[in-house]
Amino acid sequence: MQEDPDSSVLFQPPALDFLPPDPCSSPTCTTRTRDFTVPVSCDSRKLCHAILSYADASSVEGNLATDSFRFGNSGLPGMVFGCMDSGMSSNPDEDSRTTGLIGMNRGSLSFVSQMGFPQFSYCISGRDSSGVLLFGEANFPWLRPLNYTPLIQISTPLPYFDRVAYTVQLEGIRVSGTVLPLPKSVFEPDHTGAGQTMVDSGTQFTFLLGPVYTALKNEFLRQTKAILRPLGDPNFVFQGAMDLCFRVELSRAGLPALPSVNLMFRGVEMSVSGEKLLYRVPGMTRGSDAVHCFTFGNSDLLGVEAYVIGHHHQQNMWMEFDLAKSRVGLAEVRCDLASQRLGLAP
């Protein structure tokens, strides 16, 4: 653990001791899991069995346990965590390199809630560079002022509204200088809660509900018809939800200049441009061409009733989650350089 002058904590993995998982009769299992999307159950060993699902329809399952976590010289007794032994992923290649997940949502058993931090930030680098995860306030002279959008909360449970997610209000999308001709109401949750916009670091790409995705897809195609060549294979859908793909010559040094896509939130915009717009499908070629897919997908094809802003589009953005003031702030920054300035990069 390292600390900066304002006592914010730069996260490094904790040490922990192993204790047996919690039984079904434990207070953790009976009272502290009520905000789980899928109710916990009792397995054949009478242990507390949990299934945790994520915004991109992936999930993990296993047993809950309680133990003491040690952060440097500090200890945190009674930390609840999951001993997960199986899962289903929308991106198995990326997740095969993952050895654990830190729950960062607003649920009562998330790491953030159990630690009691009123604010945290992260900065995700592109490619394999180091990033930053910071608990506490970010006061750095090199960090430009953040722009904020309010977090949306509802008091009444609705069947399709995830109340522990970080929900903001998407109000529109602009492609280069063209705002998609859609009413603001199409971005708002309906009476069932379907249609919320979640900022999610655990989902790789960004997913939009069908009508909005189709409008964005058509406008992007219109603006790139002279510079990009569509794949031309209606049967290929990358990761089950991304059906707009292109052929790019393997001999080409980089992508052509592409129109930026701006996600227009209440009070702030997130600009997606350059290489963040197209993702090269690993190991896939067509003749002398690589296959690149548009990094926005169709939520309807995933069976997800929400807009999800994934971490690919949060790369090189300082993302601050201010729980005390119920808002999300963001500013563009080189995350690899931020990591170096904080002494985290090798």
Side-chain angles (χ1 to χ4, degrees), residues 33-78:
T33 60
R34 292 172 181 169
D35 55 16
F36 282 20
T37 306
V38 180
V40 296
S41 61
C42 201
D43 69 12
S44 59
R45 298 174 295 168
K46 296 186 178 181
L47 299 177
C48 190
H49 183 81
I51 300 175
L52 303 179
S53 58
Y54 300 95
D56 64 350
S58 61
S59 63
V60 293
E61 61 179 294
N63 296 114
L64 297 185
T66 303
D67 212 333
S68 296
F69 279 50
R70 297 190 304 274
F71 300 88
N73 296 322
S74 302
L76 184 69

Side-chain angles (χ1 to χ4, degrees), residues 177-224:
T178 303
V179 177
L180 299 183
L182 297 168
K184 283 188 176 182
S185 59
V186 77
F187 299 101
E188 297 172 351
D190 64 17
H191 66 284
T192 69
Q196 75 183 110
T197 298
M198 297 182 277
V199 180
D200 184 39
S201 62
T203 298
Q204 185 176 9
F205 298 111
T206 292
F207 299 96
L208 309 171
L209 290 180
V212 175
Y213 171 74
T214 299
L216 173 60
K217 172 183 173 179
N218 291 340
E219 181 60 28
F220 189 80
L221 275 170
R222 186 186 72 81
Q223 293 194 27
T224 59

Side-chain angles (χ1 to χ4, degrees), residues 7-26:
S7 298
S8 296
V9 178
L10 298 171
F11 184 77
Q12 292 183 337
L16 67 157
D17 301 313
F18 179 76
L19 290 179
D22 292 336
C24 306
S25 58
S26 67

Side-chain angles (χ1 to χ4, degrees), residues 4-6 8 119 134 136-143 318 320 342:
D4 70 359
D6 65 2
S8 296
Q119 186 180 109
L134 173 74
E137 188 175 359
N139 282 328
F140 306 116
W142 44 263
L143 182 62
W318 189 273
E320 177 185 279
L342 294 171

Side-chain angles (χ1 to χ4, degrees), residues 110-124:
S110 77
F111 183 79
V112 173
S113 298
Q114 292 191 73
M115 290 294 290
F117 285 113
Q119 186 180 109
F120 70 92
S121 304
Y122 57 71
C123 197
I124 301 170

Side-chain angles (χ1 to χ4, degrees), residues 180-341:
L180 299 183
L182 297 168
K184 283 188 176 182
S185 59
V186 77
F187 299 101
E188 297 172 351
D190 64 17
H191 66 284
T192 69
Q196 75 183 110
T197 298
M198 297 182 277
V199 180
D200 184 39
S201 62
T203 298
Q204 185 176 9
F205 298 111
T206 292
F207 299 96
L208 309 171
L209 290 180
V212 175
Y213 171 74
T214 299
L216 173 60
K217 172 183 173 179
N218 291 340
E219 181 60 28
F220 189 80
L221 275 170
R222 186 186 72 81
Q223 293 194 27
T224 59
K225 62 183 179 181
I227 56 174
L228 288 177
R229 184 160 44 118
L231 178 62
D233 182 357
N235 295 318
F236 179 72
V237 181
F238 182 53
Q239 293 192 5
M242 301 159 70
D243 61 359
L244 179 56
C245 300
F246 302 92
R247 299 175 65 149
V248 178
E249 297 90 344
L250 287 165
S251 59
R252 189 183 182 98
L255 294 172
L258 301 172
S260 62
V261 175
N262 277 41
L263 302 173
M264 305 159 65
F265 302 104
R266 187 174 297 167
V268 67
E269 293 191 9
M270 177 183 287
S271 181
V272 181
S273 60
E275 292 186 350
K276 287 195 287 186
L277 287 164
L278 296 181
Y279 180 81
R280 181 175 174 178
V281 180
M284 185 174 181
T285 58
R286 292 295 170 89
S288 59
D289 300 327
V291 176
H292 293 248
C293 291
F294 193 41
T295 53
F296 292 84
N298 188 339
S299 294
D300 295 1
L301 295 180
L302 281 181
V304 175
E305 298 287 339
Y307 300 96
V308 184
I309 313 302
H311 66 70
H312 185 79
H313 291 162
Q314 298 174 52
Q315 288 179 2
N316 290 316
M317 303 283 297
W318 189 273
M319 303 291 301
E320 177 185 279
F321 294 79
D322 188 341
L323 309 183
K325 296 182 179 178
S326 193
R327 62 184 186 173
V328 176
L330 55 96
E332 292 187 3
V333 66
R334 279 274 304 275
C335 295
D336 57 340
L337 296 181
S339 180
Q340 291 176 17
R341 291 186 176 109

